[in-house]
Amino acid sequence: MSVFLLYSFLPLAWLIISSTKTQESLIGSFGLWFSGPFAFFDNIVQTVTYDDGIFVRWFGNTLLYVIAGAGGATILATLAGYGLAKFTFPGKKAIFAVVLGAIAVPGTALAVPTFLMFSQMGLTNTIWAIIIPSLISPFGLYLIWVYAVDSVPTELLEAARVDGAGEIRTFFTISIKLLAPGIVTVAMFAIVATWNNYFLPLIMLNDPDLFPLTIGLQLWNQQATGVGSDPIFNLVITGALLTIVPIVIAFLLLQRFWQSGLSAGSVKQ
Amino acid sequence: MRKRTLVRGIATGAAALLIGAGLAACAGDTDTGDNAADPGSADAIEKALEEGGELTYWTWTPSAEAQVAAFEDAYPNVKVTVVNTGGANDNNLKLQNAIAAGSGAPDVVQVEYQSLPQFILSDSLLDLSAYGFGDLEDLYTPGPWGAVAQQGGIWGLPQDSGPMALFYNKRVFDEFGLEVPTTWDEYIEAGRKLHAADSDYYITNDAGADAGFGTSMIWQAGGRPFQADGEKVTVNLADEGTQKWATKWDTLVQEGLMSQIPGWTDEWFAGLANGTIATLPIGAWMPGVLESGAADGAGDWRVAPMPTYDGGAAVTAENGGSSEAVTKQSKNPALAAGFLKWLNSSEDSIDVFLESGGFPATVADLTSDEFLNYESDYFGGQKINEVLVDAANSVSTGWQYLPWQSYANSIYADTVGKAYLDKTSIADGLAAWQQQNVAYGNEQGFTVSE
């Protein structure tokens, strides 16, 4: 357990301690303790103002990609997963096979073919090149599917139908509430995946104004390499710290829903 | 400096006259010059620059923005969009993808010398001979020019060069009573003495992960392991020169005299600042990097010629360096060629580039008194450029990179680097690298012989 704690928290501790150092004391001092002038706030100011505040722009881009991409992915996965769990129609088995197969293919392997396809459509180097591929979440769909089978009793749906509610009304007034823990889980996965997405934006985007944080920070990091290099490791580190803050907040806000869902379906009702 | 401004004024005036003449000559011509079927010429460039248009330029050079601003001042009708691709690897990846997709490539792109053959052979770059770029040969030193003019064409113009020299920390050398080594044997001896005196100190760092360094060292040792003639490629990583380097470097690896810190990390900059990495055999562009990345080491560093194997005449190699090229996808090749010509041959542009710490590839800059007499405060007042220009003139010739050098470099750490890690012989690592390169080359449709 203590090894696990050490493993999980040491990098975080290093990140927080390092973000209080200037570029000079960062490379000249022991990594796991404070040293030199306390430059935390100065680093933050520099990070958000460096290069005309491009970091703020990257932050906004990431938020856009997460809201549109992960949000859209969650909605699509919920609708499709619920439909597949609660309605019978021909070809369901084939869809099941396709979805399972899609989960097995890592997104990175699809990035280059996706690039070629998007290039044909003239969509590379636009926000759509990031948002559209993010909308597809086979794993999320599968998760909602298996979750809906157990957590939304078919009897309840039948009772609603008998009372005269249409399918859409049934979905929004009854099913969606029962599905909430599953939806939150899927949203969480999609948010983290989109927030951390690296390879897809790397090959899709050329314009730094469209970069998400992951690519932007790498751009800053590479500034330390090669002819005429100008290392700004202190800004890379402070930027990385600021980058994980929203993810931490999202986890803290959503974990209540998540926990309440962990035991659902664990006993026979 | 004043003299230079005058020269620049004359040059600008002459350029303006030329453009004027070019315009007058073409006054009755209705052809717009951006017709792709139109064979290019030097006149087409001037015409295109005057007519203007839009260009995209991919680069990771820190001075690019300032260079383009100066260009747009000189040619207000041309709008150049600079895209910072971050570094060579990402740049090549994006370029490769755009070429595979058939669209999305920029008009002008920065390409490292070692990556040029790969893009030449995939027919991705424009041969600039038709625009009269052959006349520019005398502007550049032979090493970089040889890299852009090969396979029967001229594929770009040199941006900078990186002849290798030995950067050493004089404070550390004085402290431990070391002499500046002139041969690699003396270098190894200095490494032993240093590390024995204080185990925190290493003569240099090399983890066997940087293929660019390894190939440059082989180049200096006289190895010519790669020979490419169109589709026919020879790979021989066991030739005499290559073995010469491998044997020397084996000693440093086996005795643990080199630090395993990878280059360009914060630890590396720290080691350079405090002197625990005591020397670097590296390209002549290093002074700018030391100044910005290892400010605490100011006053400690000096530069000396590369050690040699026999203690005889100076011989060195190129390490790093880039050119700019025009892509075949460019919709306005004449304009792109015009921008490229200005970027890497005009005084205005090269001045901006040099200010950012680059090392020139142009003979005029390398031989100017101002450049040679520059006394670097960081280097304790040493006239560093005298040493570095000597290095530029001592680069041995006949070196070639593989047509798949990016791939080869990406597997270097797994083959040659593994020998560093396991402390086995580097020759074995080179043999493994050879084997994988031959297999890959054949898979790619080359005829590879060993």
Side-chain angles (χ1 to χ4, degrees):
Chain A
M1 185 67 187
S2 56
V3 173
F4 178 73
L5 276 178
L6 214 65
Y7 180 77
S8 320
F9 282 100
L10 261 189
L12 194 64
W14 176 85
L15 185 65
I16 292 170
I17 291 167
S18 297
S19 66
T20 67
K21 297 179 182 174
T22 61
Q23 168 74 15
E24 287 76 32
S25 56
L26 187 66
I27 62 173
S29 69
F30 177 61
L32 283 170
W33 200 242
F34 299 93
S35 170
F38 185 80
F40 182 65
F41 295 106
D42 189 42
N43 278 341
I44 291 182
V45 170
Q46 272 194 58
T47 304
V48 298
T49 52
Y50 187 81
D51 198 7
D52 294 334
I54 189 91
F55 183 83
V56 177
R57 170 124 201 164
W58 292 337
F59 207 98
N61 290 342
T62 308
L63 279 180
L64 171 72
Y65 299 146
V66 164
I67 291 167
T74 310
I75 292 168
L76 288 176
T78 305
L79 293 175
Y82 173 78
L84 283 160
K86 290 299 159 191
F87 300 93
T88 36
F89 52 86
K92 212 167 134 172
K93 276 217 169 116
I95 294 176
F96 185 74
V98 169
V99 170
L100 274 190
I103 293 172
V105 182
T108 313
L110 290 174
V112 172
T114 314
F115 170 84
L116 296 177
M117 199 169 84
F118 274 60
S119 176
Q120 291 295 317
M121 297 189 286
L123 286 176
T124 48
N125 209 18
T126 65
I127 58 169
W128 304 111
I130 307 304
I131 293 173
I132 295 173
S134 304
L135 289 176
I136 313 302
S137 168
F139 178 69
L141 191 158
Y142 179 72
L143 213 86
I144 294 285
W145 185 346
V146 291
Y147 190 77
V149 169
D150 284 334
S151 66
V152 184
T154 312
E155 294 84 351
L156 206 61
L157 296 180
E158 277 163 2
R161 284 181 194 130
V162 169
D163 288 344
E167 291 301 335
I168 290 172
R169 186 166 163 203
T170 314
F171 176 75
F172 280 109
T173 54
I174 301 171
S175 309
I176 209 163
K177 291 195 182 92
L178 295 168
L179 283 174
I183 296 174
V184 169
T185 309
V186 170
M188 206 59 235
F189 274 113
I191 288 170
V192 173
T194 318
W195 194 272
N196 293 334
N197 202 352
Y198 179 77
F199 194 61
L200 184 76
L202 175 71
I203 63 171
M204 285 288 189
L205 303 177
N206 303 320
D207 183 357
D209 279 349
L210 297 177
F211 283 178
L213 286 165
T214 45
I215 306 295
L217 287 175
Q218 170 67 356
L219 190 70
W220 277 5
N221 201 26
Q222 285 193 339
Q223 207 175 305
T225 313
V227 180
S229 73
D230 180 17
I232 43 168
F233 292 124
N234 59 329
L235 302 191
V236 175
I237 282 167
T238 311
L241 183 70
L242 295 178
T243 300
I244 61 171
V245 168
I247 286 284
V248 171
I249 292 175
F251 260 95
L252 291 177
L253 286 178
L254 294 178
Q255 67 159 349
R256 288 180 303 129
F257 296 95
W258 208 4
Q259 279 172 351
S260 72
L262 283 179
S263 60
S266 58
V267 288
K268 194 159 183 263
Q269 282 152 335
Chain B
M1 205 62 213
R2 195 167 295 139
K3 195 175 154 199
R4 267 201 154 179
T5 320
L6 182 68
V7 172
R8 197 183 303 161
I10 295 170
T12 317
L17 274 176
L18 272 175
I19 294 166
L23 262 186
C26 306
D29 196 346
T30 51
D31 192 346
T32 52
D34 56 6
N35 184 350
D38 198 1
S41 68
D43 290 346
I45 288 181
E46 298 300 342
K47 209 165 89 180
L49 282 173
E50 191 55 33
E51 265 171 17
E54 292 190 5
L55 292 174
T56 310
Y57 170 34
W58 285 6
T59 177
W60 63 93
T61 303
S63 59
E65 294 279 356
Q67 283 176 299
V68 165
F71 174 77
E72 287 179 341
D73 278 348
Y75 298 98
N77 294 336
V78 190
K79 166 96 183 65
V80 182
T81 309
V82 181
V83 174
N84 182 351
T85 47
N89 289 342
D90 287 356
N91 185 80
N92 287 355
L93 177 73
K94 283 172 196 282
L95 185 60
Q96 197 69 61
N97 278 328
I99 288 159
S103 71
D107 299 279
V108 178
V109 64
Q110 181 176 355
V111 184
E112 283 182 306
Y113 295 129
Q114 60 175 352
S115 303
L116 267 175
Q118 151 186 4
F119 293 109
I120 296 168
L121 278 170
S122 61
D123 202 22
S124 318
L125 304 178
L126 195 70
D127 182 359
L128 298 160
S129 319
Y131 292 101
F133 277 39
D135 299 345
L136 302 174
E137 177 172 357
D138 292 344
L139 291 180
Y140 304 97
T141 49
W145 182 258
V148 297
Q150 53 165 307
Q151 317 268 353
I154 296 164
W155 308 97
L157 287 183
Q159 172 183 271
D160 65 343
S161 68
M164 286 181 110
L166 184 71
F167 293 80
Y168 67 98
N169 192 311
K170 186 171 185 294
R171 182 177 56 76
V172 173
F173 269 52
D174 289 348
E175 198 179 319
F176 292 93
L178 305 178
E179 298 277 332
V180 179
T182 56
T183 66
W184 288 114
D185 287 328
E186 289 175 24
Y187 185 79
I188 293 169
E189 206 44 57
R192 285 194 184 119
K193 202 170 160 189
L194 177 67
H195 194 62
D198 186 336
S199 61
D200 282 346
Y201 284 81
Y202 294 93
I203 190 72
T204 189
N205 76 297
D206 182 18
D210 182 359
F213 174 74
T215 46
S216 291
M217 291 302 291
I218 291 171
W219 180 345
Q220 197 234 354
R224 295 293 179 268
F226 314 129
Q227 296 297 331
D229 178 17
E231 308 281 295
K232 282 200 244 48
V233 181
T234 309
V235 183
N236 178 13
L237 282 158
D239 73 0
E240 199 189 330
T242 310
Q243 293 301 327
K244 213 153 79 177
W245 169 72
T247 321
K248 288 283 176 269
W249 232 241
D250 265 340
T251 317
L252 292 169
V253 172
Q254 305 296 343
E255 298 184 18
L257 303 178
M258 290 188 298
S259 152
Q260 298 275 328
I261 293 172
W264 309 104
T265 57
D266 51 346
E267 280 177 292
W268 186 69
F269 284 113
L272 296 178
N274 65 24
T276 49
I277 299 173
T279 79
L280 281 181
I282 206 164
W285 33 262
M286 193 62 200
V289 176
L290 281 169
E291 276 178 48
S292 64
D296 286 351
D300 296 345
W301 286 83
R302 297 290 182 278
V303 63
M306 276 284 268
T308 55
Y309 286 83
D310 55 6
V315 54
T316 188
E318 291 277 338
N319 177 227
S322 292
S323 59
E324 267 82 18
V326 176
T327 66
K328 275 237 163 109
Q329 283 184 25
S330 173
K331 296 207 170 54
N332 197 343
L335 186 63
F339 169 62
L340 172 66
K341 190 174 173 182
W342 181 90
L343 188 70
N344 284 351
S345 74
S346 81
E347 192 88 358
D348 288 351
S349 173
I350 291 169
D351 277 352
V352 175
F353 179 76
L354 294 185
E355 266 165 39
S356 77
F359 191 77
T362 34
V363 176
D365 292 283
L366 288 168
T367 51
S368 81
D369 287 344
E370 189 195 344
F371 188 73
L372 286 169
N373 290 329
Y374 166 70
E375 290 173 10
S376 166
D377 290 340
Y378 188 94
F379 285 81
Q382 189 187 6
K383 288 184 177 174
I384 53 172
N385 289 336
E386 287 183 344
V387 180
L388 299 175
V389 168
D390 279 345
N393 294 327
S394 320
V395 175
S396 67
T397 52
W399 175 266
Q400 279 191 315
Y401 284 109
L402 284 170
W404 59 88
Q405 195 66 41
S406 301
Y407 172 80
N409 288 358
S410 74
I411 56 167
Y412 182 84
D414 301 334
T415 51
V416 184
K418 203 160 169 291
Y420 283 61
L421 205 62
D422 303 344
K423 296 224 157 81
T424 52
S425 96
I426 292 176
D428 291 351
L430 287 166
W433 197 34
Q434 157 116 6
Q435 203 185 350
Q436 293 197 24
N437 268 315
V438 170
Y440 182 83
N442 282 321
E443 272 169 35
Q444 298 295 307
F446 293 96
T447 314
V448 188
S449 47
E450 299 187 41

